[in-house]
Amino acid sequence: MSIDVSVPRKCIYGYFDDNPGPCPECGSTLKQQMATYLVLTRCGDEETGSFITGDDSGWFCPQCPTLLLDLSGIRESLPIGLPGWNVGDEFAVAGIVDIHAIPDDKEHLPLDHPDNPLPLVRFTEIVDDDLPEIEKDERFEKDEESLLQHWRRRILGEEVMEGDHAMTEQDYPEPVSKLLTMGEPEVHEWSDYLALGLSPEHVPDLICMALGDAPSDDPAIWGPIHAWRALGQLRAEEAIEPLIQLLQDIDDFDDDWISEEMPTVFALIGPAAIPALANYVLDTSHGTWARVAAAHSLEEIGTNHPDVRSACVSVLTAALERFETLEPEVNGFLVLYLVDLEAVEAAPIMERAFEAGRVDPMVMGDWEDVQVELGLLEERSTPRPSLFGDLGGKFEGLVSASEKSEARRRLRELGRNDPCWCGSGKKYKHCHLREDQQEARG
C-alpha cells in the first residue's frame, strides 16, 4: 500500500545505517517510500538557494502522521561544488513536494514557473535533537577548493579578504590562465579569445573564472570579464544559467561592467538564452536594473538573430503588459527595446502604458517620440515636454556643474540615431545612450 504524501506530517531527522525501527510515536512498523522533498540551504546567517530532490530517504508511519527522514540521503543530493548553484553548507527539509497535486494542464511547466505554484506539504513539526554535525562533502579535495571558493564567494556576495587565496594562474589550465594576465579590457573592443586556443573543453573553467573574484589591487580582478567575453565567443550554452546570476550584481554592487556587457554575451550565445532571460524579466523578485539588463539581452538577441526576433518581442510585450505593477523605469526600457526591435505590433500596449503615466519619459521621451521612432508619425505635433516635470529649468540650474547635468544636456541635444558624442562612430543608441540615461537619473 502506498503512503499518502499529501498528509502533513511530523518529521524526525536522523542518520540511519539501516531500518530505523518502529515509529517512535505509535510503535507501528515504518515503510520506506520514495518522495520528493524541498530542501532549503544556508551559509552562515545568509539564506541561500533551495532545490527539490527525490529519493527514498523517508520512512513513513502508515498509522500516524510521522516521518523519519534519513539526512544522509538528502545530504548526498546537495549540489555543493557545481558552478551556478547558490547552495550553502547547512540545509533543512521544509516539506514534501506532492508531484501528483500538479494539475494535468500544468505538468509541462517547470515547478518554479509562476503559473505552476509548488505543491508543498509542509511538516507540522521538525525534531532534530542530538543530531551529529553535518560535515562538508568529502569530494572537496584540497587542490579543488580554491576554484570552488571563488564562484561561491561571488554568488554568496562574500568579499575576498586580504590574505585569502585569490585567483592565480595555477588555478586554471592553459590557455584559460592567460586571461588573468591580460589586464583591464578595452570597453568597446574585445580580444579574439579563441585565438588564444580556447575551445568548448575550457567552458567549465571559464565559468568558474567568470563567477570568481579577486582583491581590487590584483590584476586578476579583470579575469572574470575576459572569461565571460570568451564564453560568449564560444557560444557556450552551458554558461547561460551561471551567468544570469551575475545580473543581480548590477543592483547589489552597481556593477556597470555586467550591465553593459552581459547583453552582448547573451546575444553571442544566442537564442538558447531566451527562456532563462524571459523568466528573469518576468520575475519581480529580482532587482530593477537586473531585469532591465535581462530585457536588454533579449533585445540584443532579437537584433542579432532575426529569426527569433518575434520571440523576443513577445517576451518584452508580455512584460510590458504588466506595466501597472512594474516600475516606470522598467517600463521605459521595455518600450525602448521594443522600439529598437521595430515592434510596431506592440504599439497598442505601449500607448496604454503611456496613457496610464507608467512610463519614465527620461528613457526615450513620450508617446509622440515613440510614434516618430516607429514610423507611425512623421514628426511631433506638440512641443516636447520637459524631462524634469514641474521642476523644469530651475532644477537643471541647481546641478549645472555636475556630471548629471552634462548627461541630461546630451540627452536633450542628441538624437538616438545621431553619432555618439564619444567619437566611436557608433549611433548614440548603440553606444553611450543608456549610460547617459543612468547618469542623468543619478
Side-chain angles (χ1 to χ4, degrees):
M1 180 182 69
S2 179
I3 299 293
D4 183 2
V5 297
S6 67
V7 176
R9 297 175 183 275
K10 175 180 180 178
C11 179
I12 301 176
Y13 285 172
Y15 287 96
F16 316 127
D17 293 331
D18 202 351
N19 190 316
C23 174
E25 298 294 315
C26 71
S28 299
T29 300
L30 298 174
K31 179 180 179 181
Q32 187 177 21
Q33 179 171 305
M34 179 71 71
T36 303
Y37 301 94
L38 173 65
V39 183
L40 311 177
T41 71
R42 182 179 67 181
C43 183
D45 294 330
E46 180 181 358
E47 293 184 6
T48 46
S50 60
F51 63 95
I52 64 172
T53 183
D55 59 39
D56 58 357
S57 300
W59 293 79
F60 293 80
C61 179
Q63 302 300 323
C64 72
T66 302
L67 163 67
L68 270 65
L69 189 59
D70 182 2
L71 292 187
S72 60
I74 300 295
R75 179 182 162 215
E76 291 176 0
S77 300
L78 284 178
I80 298 175
L82 297 179
W85 283 83
N86 182 5
V87 177
D89 299 324
E90 300 177 78
F91 70 90
V93 183
I96 297 174
V97 179
D98 185 5
I99 300 295
H100 298 294
I102 300 175
D104 292 342
D105 61 341
K106 304 289 185 181
E107 287 183 346
H108 66 288
L109 298 174
L111 284 175
D112 59 351
H113 192 280
D115 293 333
N116 188 16
L118 196 68
L120 178 66
V121 181
R122 295 183 179 275
F123 296 134
T124 58
E125 181 183 357
I126 296 178
V127 179
D128 61 352
D129 296 339
D130 301 322
L131 288 181
E133 182 179 353
I134 301 173
E135 301 291 341
K136 285 189 176 181
D137 197 306
E138 293 178 358
R139 67 175 176 269
F140 280 106
E141 299 294 338
K142 185 174 181 180
D143 61 348
E144 294 178 344
E145 283 187 346
S146 60
L147 288 182
L148 299 176
Q149 285 173 356
H150 300 312
W151 67 258
R152 289 190 66 214
R153 278 198 185 102
R154 185 74 178 194
I155 292 175
L156 299 176
E158 299 172 355
E159 296 182 359
V160 177
M161 305 303 292
E162 188 71 26
D164 270 359
H165 179 81
M167 289 184 293
T168 68
E169 292 179 69
Q170 289 71 36
D171 287 329
Y172 298 93
E174 288 277 359
V176 178
S177 59
K178 294 179 181 178
L179 303 185
L180 296 177
T181 64
M182 294 181 67
E184 184 174 358
E186 294 289 336
V187 176
H188 296 293
E189 297 295 332
W190 290 25
S191 300
D192 180 1
Y193 296 97
L194 305 192
L196 298 175
L198 293 172
S199 65
E201 69 179 282
H202 300 117
V203 166
D205 288 307
L206 290 169
I207 291 174
C208 284
M209 186 181 291
L211 297 173
D213 213 340
S216 59
D217 59 349
D218 188 334
I221 193 173
W222 304 109
I225 297 173
H226 293 297
W228 70 52
R229 288 180 173 186
L231 287 166
Q233 291 180 0
L234 284 167
R235 313 294 198 264
E237 296 181 6
E238 312 96 297
I240 293 170
E241 291 293 345
L243 291 179
I244 206 168
Q245 297 183 53
L246 291 178
L247 297 181
Q248 191 57 44
D249 281 5
I250 301 171
D251 289 275
D252 292 345
F253 305 110
D254 196 24
D255 196 319
D256 290 337
W257 280 101
I258 294 175
S259 63
E260 290 295 324
E261 301 224 332
M262 212 50 64
T264 303
V265 172
F266 285 124
L268 286 171
I269 292 174
I274 292 176
L277 291 167
N279 288 336
Y280 201 95
V281 168
L282 297 172
D283 186 349
T284 56
S285 68
H286 298 303
T288 297
W289 301 111
R291 283 180 284 131
V292 167
H296 184 189
S297 301
L298 287 165
E299 179 268 319
E300 289 285 342
I301 292 173
T303 297
N304 289 278
H305 303 271
D307 55 320
V308 295
R309 170 199 168 276
S310 60
C312 295
V313 168
S314 294
V315 174
L316 296 173
T317 303
L320 187 59
E321 287 173 349
R322 304 182 182 185
F323 65 82
E324 293 181 348
T325 61
L326 298 179
E327 304 92 325
E329 295 90 348
V330 173
N331 291 330
F333 279 99
L334 289 172
V335 169
L336 171 63
Y337 302 141
L338 286 166
V339 169
D340 283 346
L341 289 169
E342 301 179 354
V344 177
E345 62 267 41
I349 188 62
M350 295 187 209
E351 182 176 13
R352 285 170 50 203
F354 274 104
E355 288 178 347
R358 296 296 301 169
V359 181
D360 184 355
M362 186 73 76
V363 178
M364 67 168 300
D366 62 4
W367 174 229
E368 279 195 56
D369 287 324
V370 171
Q371 291 180 87
V372 171
E373 287 286 340
L374 289 174
L376 300 176
L377 284 179
E378 289 189 7
E379 58 183 17
R380 292 187 61 90
S381 59
T382 64
R384 180 175 285 107
S386 169
L387 293 177
F388 312 105
D390 296 336
L391 293 175
K394 178 181 177 181
F395 180 78
E396 289 185 85
L398 293 174
V399 294
S400 58
S402 69
E403 293 180 1
K404 183 185 298 184
S405 178
E406 183 66 17
R408 286 173 171 157
R409 179 190 63 76
R410 292 194 290 261
L411 289 171
R412 287 196 308 271
E413 295 179 358
L414 289 177
R416 297 175 68 250
N417 292 309
D418 289 342
C420 187
W421 54 265
C422 73
S424 66
K426 298 181 179 180
K427 292 182 179 180
Y428 187 32
K429 67 181 181 182
H430 292 312
C431 196
H432 278 87
L433 172 62
R434 294 180 179 91
E435 182 178 319
D436 284 348
Q437 289 166 337
Q438 293 176 357
E439 185 68 45
R441 196 173 292 107

